[in-house]
PDB file of all heavy atoms in Angstrom:
ATOM      1  N   THR N 299      33.310 -61.227 -10.725  1.00 39.00           N
ATOM      2  CA  THR N 299      32.291 -60.171 -10.739  1.00 39.00           C
ATOM      3  C   THR N 299      32.899 -58.791 -10.486  1.00 39.00           C
ATOM      4  O   THR N 299      32.707 -57.825 -11.131  1.00 39.00           O
ATOM      5  CB  THR N 299      31.202 -60.410  -9.739  1.00 39.00           C
ATOM      6  OG1 THR N 299      30.702 -61.736  -9.986  1.00 39.00           O
ATOM      7  CG2 THR N 299      30.095 -59.381  -9.827  1.00 39.00           C
ATOM      8  N   GLY N 300      33.800 -58.748  -9.444  1.00 40.00           N
ATOM      9  CA  GLY N 300      34.485 -57.483  -9.101  1.00 40.00           C
ATOM     10  C   GLY N 300      35.337 -57.034 -10.188  1.00 40.00           C
ATOM     11  O   GLY N 300      35.366 -55.889 -10.571  1.00 40.00           O
ATOM     12  N   GLY N 301      36.045 -57.912 -10.896  1.00 40.00           N
ATOM     13  CA  GLY N 301      36.887 -57.509 -11.982  1.00 40.00           C
ATOM     14  C   GLY N 301      36.133 -56.963 -13.091  1.00 40.00           C
ATOM     15  O   GLY N 301      36.460 -55.932 -13.722  1.00 40.00           O
ATOM     16  N   SER N 302      35.032 -57.690 -13.442  1.00 40.00           N
ATOM     17  CA  SER N 302      34.196 -57.111 -14.593  1.00 40.00           C
ATOM     18  C   SER N 302      33.602 -55.781 -14.240  1.00 40.00           C
ATOM     19  O   SER N 302      33.565 -54.975 -15.022  1.00 40.00           O
ATOM     20  CB  SER N 302      33.109 -58.132 -14.925  1.00 40.00           C
ATOM     21  OG  SER N 302      32.243 -58.293 -13.801  1.00 40.00           O
ATOM     22  N   GLY N 303      33.224 -55.637 -12.942  1.00 40.00           N
ATOM     23  CA  GLY N 303      32.694 -54.298 -12.532  1.00 40.00           C
ATOM     24  C   GLY N 303      33.783 -53.261 -12.696  1.00 40.00           C
ATOM     25  O   GLY N 303      33.517 -52.181 -13.092  1.00 40.00           O
ATOM     26  N   GLY N 304      34.983 -53.569 -12.203  1.00 41.00           N
ATOM     27  CA  GLY N 304      36.033 -52.604 -12.310  1.00 41.00           C
ATOM     28  C   GLY N 304      36.326 -52.213 -13.732  1.00 41.00           C
ATOM     29  O   GLY N 304      36.613 -51.136 -14.125  1.00 41.00           O
ATOM     30  N   GLY N 305      36.278 -53.262 -14.596  1.00 39.00           N
ATOM     31  CA  GLY N 305      36.504 -52.990 -16.009  1.00 39.00           C
ATOM     32  C   GLY N 305      35.466 -52.157 -16.559  1.00 39.00           C
ATOM     33  O   GLY N 305      35.744 -51.274 -17.374  1.00 39.00           O
ATOM     34  N   GLY N 306      34.218 -52.429 -16.168  1.00 40.00           N
ATOM     35  CA  GLY N 306      33.151 -51.596 -16.747  1.00 40.00           C
ATOM     36  C   GLY N 306      33.249 -50.227 -16.280  1.00 40.00           C
ATOM     37  O   GLY N 306      33.074 -49.282 -17.097  1.00 40.00           O
ATOM     38  N   GLU N 307      33.715 -49.964 -15.020  1.00 41.00           N
ATOM     39  CA  GLU N 307      33.813 -48.542 -14.622  1.00 41.00           C
ATOM     40  C   GLU N 307      34.931 -47.881 -15.325  1.00 41.00           C
ATOM     41  O   GLU N 307      34.903 -46.730 -15.742  1.00 41.00           O
ATOM     42  CB  GLU N 307      34.043 -48.472 -13.103  1.00 41.00           C
ATOM     43  CG  GLU N 307      32.815 -48.875 -12.350  1.00 41.00           C
ATOM     44  CD  GLU N 307      33.145 -48.860 -10.788  1.00 41.00           C
ATOM     45  OE1 GLU N 307      34.247 -48.489 -10.497  1.00 41.00           O
ATOM     46  OE2 GLU N 307      32.256 -49.212 -10.047  1.00 41.00           O
ATOM     47  N   SER N 308      36.021 -48.623 -15.592  1.00 39.00           N
ATOM     48  CA  SER N 308      37.192 -48.046 -16.275  1.00 39.00           C
ATOM     49  C   SER N 308      36.774 -47.716 -17.724  1.00 39.00           C
ATOM     50  O   SER N 308      37.143 -46.608 -18.248  1.00 39.00           O
ATOM     51  CB  SER N 308      38.382 -49.018 -16.250  1.00 39.00           C
ATOM     52  OG  SER N 308      39.451 -48.580 -16.966  1.00 39.00           O
ATOM     53  N   GLY N 309      36.096 -48.663 -18.288  1.00 40.00           N
ATOM     54  CA  GLY N 309      35.668 -48.411 -19.764  1.00 40.00           C
ATOM     55  C   GLY N 309      34.737 -47.191 -19.813  1.00 40.00           C
ATOM     56  O   GLY N 309      34.819 -46.378 -20.689  1.00 40.00           O
ATOM     57  N   GLY N 310      33.791 -47.130 -18.835  1.00 42.00           N
ATOM     58  CA  GLY N 310      32.871 -46.026 -18.887  1.00 42.00           C
ATOM     59  C   GLY N 310      33.486 -44.763 -18.599  1.00 42.00           C
ATOM     60  O   GLY N 310      33.167 -43.662 -19.099  1.00 42.00           O
ATOM     61  N   GLY N 311      34.529 -44.635 -17.757  1.00 42.00           N
ATOM     62  CA  GLY N 311      35.241 -43.416 -17.451  1.00 42.00           C
ATOM     63  C   GLY N 311      36.108 -42.997 -18.605  1.00 42.00           C
ATOM     64  O   GLY N 311      36.173 -41.725 -18.846  1.00 42.00           O
ATOM     65  N   GLY N 312      36.721 -43.947 -19.350  1.00 43.00           N
ATOM     66  CA  GLY N 312      37.668 -43.513 -20.423  1.00 43.00           C
ATOM     67  C   GLY N 312      36.975 -43.265 -21.755  1.00 43.00           C
ATOM     68  O   GLY N 312      37.621 -42.473 -22.545  1.00 43.00           O
ATOM     69  N   GLY N 313      35.895 -43.863 -22.015  1.00 44.00           N
ATOM     70  CA  GLY N 313      35.299 -43.716 -23.384  1.00 44.00           C
ATOM     71  C   GLY N 313      34.269 -42.701 -23.516  1.00 44.00           C
ATOM     72  O   GLY N 313      33.669 -42.191 -22.526  1.00 44.00           O
TER      73      GLY N 313
END
Side-chain angles (χ1 to χ4, degrees):
T299 305
S302 63
E307 292 178 2
S308 174

